Amino acid sequence: MKRRFEISPWSSVILWAWAAVCMLPIIYFASIALRPRNEIIAPSPIYFPTISIETWAKIFAEWPILNYFKNSMLAVSGSVFICLLLGIPAAYALARYDFKGREDIGFYILSTKFMAPAAVAIPIFVLFGQLKLLDSVWALMLVYAAMNLSIVVWIIRSYMVDIPPAIEDAARTDGASDLRILWEIIIPMCLPGIITAAVIAAIFAMNEYLFTLIIASRNAYPLSVALANFSGGSDGIIYNAIALVAFLAFIPALLLVVLIQNHLSRGLTMGAVKG
């Protein structure tokens, strides 16, 4: 029988007040994106700003914002798919198979995150240049996946280690192959961990700037690099455009977390309490 927790009225008021405070930066960014530039850079504060979608229409007309957004979504989703496609079997092998050098291979995978990104920036640029992949979304997918694969492997592996091996032994007794055990038993049991790893990989990919700036050019710009286009130049800093792009980059991450918050909360807390 599940225990029900009752929240007092005062606790509810405090939680709603805290939620409103947390929403203030989002509302403020949205208001900047909807305000004309002369009001944003006005020397004195404007308490009742002019809100209009004409600013958005102008920015969308002058800049390929939707193309930036599409590049970001394709690059991030593709990199997460590659990370899961390679990371789940690798995590299962490190968690279950006993072979020579397993610990060394696991440490090597994790050690790829220890290296400074600037150390491999030029080799990656030369490599993608020889492969004719510069300024393409495919290059962004591969780079993001290479950067986040180690995190995905180790997060998923930590959940697979906690699954009792007796469950797999019973399935093998019934004639199930290792691939079938992984697909029908292991993956459903550690689904919260897989979702957690996917969300973390997606957030890291969205925030990547250095490799994106090196690899992407005008055709493959994602939102993270597109922000730099609106600072400097003859027009100066275009604050409402920066706010708009930042708001668009924030919305997918917010929706993703809200839609899978139940699995995400289970994945973040699974294994925290044992016994």
Side-chain angles (χ1 to χ4, degrees), residues 113-138:
K113 293 299 295 183
F114 301 164
M115 182 172 49
V120 294
I122 295 178
I124 286 180
F125 177 81
V126 173
L127 174 63
F128 281 109
Q130 293 177 348
L131 294 175
K132 308 297 182 183
L133 290 176
L134 288 177
D135 194 20
S136 67
V137 178
W138 295 104

Side-chain angles (χ1 to χ4, degrees), residues 78-263:
S79 68
V80 171
F81 176 77
I82 295 173
C83 285
L84 295 180
L85 183 65
L86 300 178
I88 292 176
Y92 183 67
L94 292 174
R96 285 293 184 260
Y97 296 148
D98 188 11
F99 53 89
K100 185 178 180 180
R102 182 182 67 172
E103 299 298 330
D104 295 333
I105 293 175
F107 179 76
Y108 171 75
I109 293 174
L110 185 61
S111 66
T112 57
K113 293 299 295 183
F114 301 164
M115 182 172 49
V120 294
I122 295 178
I124 286 180
F125 177 81
V126 173
L127 174 63
F128 281 109
Q130 293 177 348
L131 294 175
K132 308 297 182 183
L133 290 176
L134 288 177
D135 194 20
S136 67
V137 178
W138 295 104
L140 296 179
M141 289 183 189
L142 296 175
V143 168
Y144 294 163
M147 293 178 56
N148 299 320
L149 182 60
S150 59
I151 298 176
V152 171
V153 169
W154 274 93
I155 291 177
I156 299 176
R157 175 190 173 275
S158 65
Y159 294 101
M160 290 183 175
V161 168
D162 293 336
I163 298 176
I167 300 176
E168 300 167 61
D169 295 338
R172 289 191 181 93
T173 303
D174 294 335
S177 62
D178 287 352
L179 184 60
R180 184 177 179 183
I181 292 173
L182 175 62
W183 180 255
E184 297 184 3
I185 298 176
I186 301 299
I187 291 179
M189 292 186 68
C190 63
L191 186 60
I194 294 175
I195 293 176
T196 301
V199 172
I200 293 176
I203 293 175
F204 283 178
M206 291 178 187
N207 294 331
E208 173 56 34
Y209 183 80
L210 176 62
F211 289 114
T212 306
L213 184 63
I214 293 173
I215 294 173
S217 185
R218 189 166 299 274
N219 294 327
Y221 268 162
L223 292 175
S224 58
V225 176
L227 285 169
N229 291 336
F230 305 111
S231 60
S234 59
D235 295 331
I237 301 177
I238 311 175
Y239 294 99
N240 46 10
I242 293 176
L244 171 61
V245 174
F247 189 74
L248 290 177
F250 165 76
I251 290 299
L254 176 63
L255 293 177
L256 180 64
V257 172
V258 169
L259 290 174
I260 62 174
Q261 58 180 334
N262 293 332
H263 292 288

